[in-house]
Amino acid sequence: MSEVPEISSAPITPRPAAVAPVPPPVGGSKYNTPSLSRAPLLITVNHQEATSNTDVPQVEATAPSKTPKNRTPNFLTPLGSPVRRALHLTKLDPHDAWLPITESRNGNAYYAAFHALCSGLGIQALILPVAFTILGWAWGVIGLTVTFLWQLYTLWILIQLHESPETGMRYCRYLQLCSATFGEKVGSILATFPIMYLSGGTCVALIILGGSTLRSFFELMCAPSCTAKPLTPVEWSLVFTSAAVVLSQLPNLNSIAGVSLVGAVTAVGYCTLIWTVSVDKGRLPGVSYNPVKAGSDTATFFSILNALGMIAFAFRGHNLILEIQATMPSSEKHPSRVPMWRGVQLAYVLIAMCIFPLAIAGYWIYGNKMPNEGGMLSAIYAYHMRDVSRSVIGLMSVFVIINAVTSFQIYGMPMFDHMESQFITKFKRPCTWWIRVILRFMFGYGCFFFAVAIPFLGSLAGLIGGLALPVTLAYPSFMWLKLKKPKTYSGMWWLNWVLGVVGMGLSALLIAAGVYVVIKASIKWDFFHPH
């Protein structure tokens, strides 16, 4: 079996062969990444040749064909201890500094809060009262509370696992951590589809939402005396996509911190505005709080599971947490998990202050009259178009549109990173600005194509929640068991085993329920016919 090559920083000082060359620490950083940066230059030392010459070890430079631009300060220092163990975890890629997620390491707790709030709070929260119409008061509140606490705990797990003190590795992408835990093949099978769907599929849903909201805003502001010819639904989606694609040219995840701040403010704004306006107008006459029953016991059971899937879907965003934490500097004395957890705590306090009033007040006001599609936003349009000021409803629409455009950026960033990594792997050089523009245009307008082709995607919230649930609620617990190895039968051992097993079982049930509801709900499968 061939020896694992030693890793050292250039220039190398001749030393006796009995002493293995060890890279010196640079910049005080302790942590490495599975995809290594080119700073400092890596040298591969042939161990066999080195032992044959006791004077000067033979070295062979393996530098990439092109040196990346020094866009940001050095963020990587190989750990001086068990480099060999780290090498076994994943293949080394010296181009991490060229990729959008890890290109800049200048983040802080505030940036983390902006990103976490923008990705964790969005239009998916507006469908929570729809789940309450099926679950009722007691089980609706219980389900929402348990899911919130559960996903907050798994969020903490991911933040703790981002960097490993034992190996010195930083797992800057969810898929990297999953592959390091379960193996490359198994990790790819388990995580690739839900992660890519949470990124690409969310962008498609945002285009559908943004285009329809743009059309509603135009009709609201233009009525009743406007003579301008309105655009078609496809054209409104194209307008939204063009705005999102132009904004997506910002280079990396750190550079969109201001964009995420705007998205976070608008998300909090329209969630708060919607439930406060609804409370101000009071309950609708004839509202019932009896849970909606389906025709048979089987249909009712699957309907309940589908409602739980809607709640799970409201807490997406875990697939971005490791990427957000990757934008922070980290060292042994100042690990990134500390400011990251502070930022996440701030973000999720605000998220809780939005989703709980939205779900509870929305169900109290509309009850069983809550529209199944669109949730609270559709309810405002359906019941309060005449008794609420046009400027207030217009402001809600503007907030929704801006939030959709900004959320597109953070959910699209993992896809941008993936596309650029494919280019770098093939051509061994960083993407030039015009290649980056082309790739992001291709992704944006590819999402537009799917948004036009599948305009009923919003009706699949329960099914989507089931598909995404393991990423949020199950995988992190198994990762903790595998990597941290808590003492058998200890409290942490039992907690993570129970949460992991229950999460996987619940995911299977939610997927089955989502498929059942989609088949039985008579959803209009109008491909290429957006409404």
Side-chain angles (χ1 to χ4, degrees):
M1 182 179 295
S2 61
E3 292 286 344
V4 179
E6 298 287 349
I7 299 300
S8 179
S9 299
I12 188 167
T13 304
R15 67 187 74 189
V19 180
V22 179
V26 179
S29 176
K30 175 184 177 181
Y31 294 104
N32 199 348
T33 55
S35 296
L36 291 178
S37 161
R38 256 197 106 271
L41 176 66
L42 299 180
I43 298 293
T44 301
V45 180
N46 190 314
H47 186 74
Q48 184 175 0
E49 292 180 5
T51 56
S52 65
N53 189 335
T54 59
D55 295 327
V56 180
Q58 302 294 318
V59 297
E60 179 184 356
T62 57
S65 59
K66 185 176 180 180
T67 303
K69 297 178 181 179
N70 188 16
R71 297 170 178 167
T72 57
N74 291 339
F75 60 83
L76 167 71
T77 300
L79 185 62
S81 50
V83 176
R84 279 198 183 96
R85 292 173 60 190
L87 291 174
H88 289 293
L89 291 178
T90 185
K91 298 178 181 179
L92 294 177
D93 182 358
H95 307 299
D96 218 28
W98 292 338
L99 296 173
I101 288 175
T102 48
E103 189 177 71
S104 173
R105 300 269 188 168
N106 300 322
N108 53 48
Y110 296 105
Y111 286 12
F114 303 158
H115 290 315
L117 186 53
C118 184
S119 61
L121 179 64
I123 199 68
Q124 70 274 11
L126 300 181
I127 64 171
L128 287 174
V130 180
F132 274 52
T133 62
I134 301 170
L135 299 174
W137 274 119
W139 287 111
V141 173
I142 291 173
L144 182 60
T145 304
V146 169
T147 306
F148 179 81
L149 296 175
W150 188 350
Q151 61 87 33
L152 195 60
Y153 169 70
T154 55
L155 200 61
W156 176 83
I157 286 179
L158 291 175
I159 293 171
Q160 299 302 311
L161 294 180
H162 173 82
E163 48 202 15
S164 172
E166 292 81 13
T167 62
M169 305 295 285
R170 290 188 70 179
Y171 301 102
C172 299
R173 296 158 185 87
Y174 194 104
L175 186 57
Q176 287 177 346
L177 180 59
C178 200
S179 297
T181 304
F182 306 115
E184 189 172 350
K185 290 184 178 180
V186 176
S188 297
I189 293 172
L190 292 176
T192 299
F193 175 75
I195 290 173
M196 293 305 172
Y197 181 82
L198 280 172
S199 295
T202 299
C203 290
V204 173
L206 289 171
I207 291 175
I208 296 172
L209 168 71
S212 61
T213 309
L214 273 173
R215 183 185 184 189
S216 300
F217 177 72
F218 174 83
E219 293 174 350
L220 177 68
M221 294 294 104
C222 196
S225 59
C226 183
T227 59
K229 182 180 179 181
L231 300 177
T232 65
V234 173
E235 291 170 336
W236 282 119
S237 296
L238 183 60
V239 170
F240 177 88
T241 304
S242 300
V245 168
V246 170
L247 192 58
S248 71
Q249 301 310 315
L250 292 171
N252 54 60
L253 190 54
N254 252 343
S255 67
I256 65 169
V259 175
S260 293
L261 173 60
V262 173
V265 171
T266 52
V268 173
Y270 72 70
C271 287
T272 304
L273 198 58
I274 286 175
W275 74 260
T276 53
V277 167
S278 299
V279 169
D280 179 67
K281 294 302 175 182
R283 287 194 303 171
L284 296 181
V287 167
S288 172
Y289 301 116
N290 294 322
V292 176
K293 300 290 185 180
S296 62
D297 292 340
T298 302
T300 300
F301 175 72
F302 281 122
S303 178
I304 292 172
L305 290 176
N306 191 59
L308 294 176
M310 294 180 188
I311 294 177
F313 180 59
F315 295 107
R316 63 187 180 182
H318 280 51
N319 63 308
L320 296 170
I321 288 301
L322 294 175
E323 285 80 352
I324 294 170
Q325 192 171 352
T327 64
M328 295 181 171
S330 187
S331 66
E332 186 173 5
K333 292 184 178 179
H334 303 285
S336 63
R337 62 179 178 270
V338 176
M340 183 66 189
W341 181 238
R342 285 203 303 265
V344 166
Q345 284 177 304
L346 174 60
Y348 274 80
V349 166
L350 294 174
I351 289 174
M353 292 171 62
C354 290
I355 62 171
F356 281 92
L358 193 67
I360 294 172
Y363 184 53
W364 175 73
I365 294 161
Y366 302 107
N368 61 348
K369 296 186 178 181
M370 175 67 62
N372 290 328
E373 294 187 14
M376 289 289 286
L377 190 62
S378 297
I380 289 288
Y381 285 133
Y383 300 115
H384 299 300
M385 284 291 290
R386 295 183 179 180
D387 57 1
V388 174
S389 170
R390 282 199 303 166
S391 60
V392 173
I393 296 181
L395 183 61
M396 292 180 193
S397 301
V398 170
F399 280 171
V400 170
I401 294 166
I402 295 175
N403 176 257
V405 172
T406 53
S407 297
F408 186 96
Q409 311 310 315
I410 190 168
Y411 275 98
M413 196 60 69
M415 300 301 296
F416 303 155
D417 187 88
H418 177 72
M419 291 188 295
E420 291 188 29
S421 69
Q422 297 299 312
F423 176 90
I424 289 171
T425 300
K426 183 174 182 180
F427 296 102
K428 309 300 180 185
R429 61 187 178 89
C431 291
T432 58
W433 69 268
W434 60 270
I435 292 177
R436 177 170 281 183
V437 169
I438 291 174
L439 290 176
R440 298 188 182 190
F441 265 73
M442 289 172 57
F443 172 76
Y445 288 105
C447 290
F448 165 74
F449 172 80
F450 283 104
V452 173
I454 316 174
F456 50 85
L457 190 65
S459 303
L460 309 179
L463 176 60
I464 296 170
L467 292 171
L469 187 142
V471 173
T472 304
L473 301 181
Y475 293 164
S477 292
F478 290 124
M479 292 172 180
W480 185 269
L481 291 167
K482 179 73 173 180
L483 298 178
K484 292 298 183 180
K485 296 180 174 58
K487 185 179 179 181
T488 305
Y489 306 124
S490 64
M492 287 295 289
W493 187 89
W494 278 112
L495 176 63
N496 286 286
W497 267 114
V498 170
L499 293 182
V501 172
V502 171
M504 293 303 297
L506 186 60
S507 175
L509 289 174
L510 294 184
I511 292 172
V515 172
Y516 181 87
V517 171
V518 167
I519 294 174
K520 293 293 184 179
S522 300
I523 295 175
K524 295 181 180 179
W525 301 87
D526 293 334
F527 294 96
F528 296 100
H529 287 87
H531 300 288

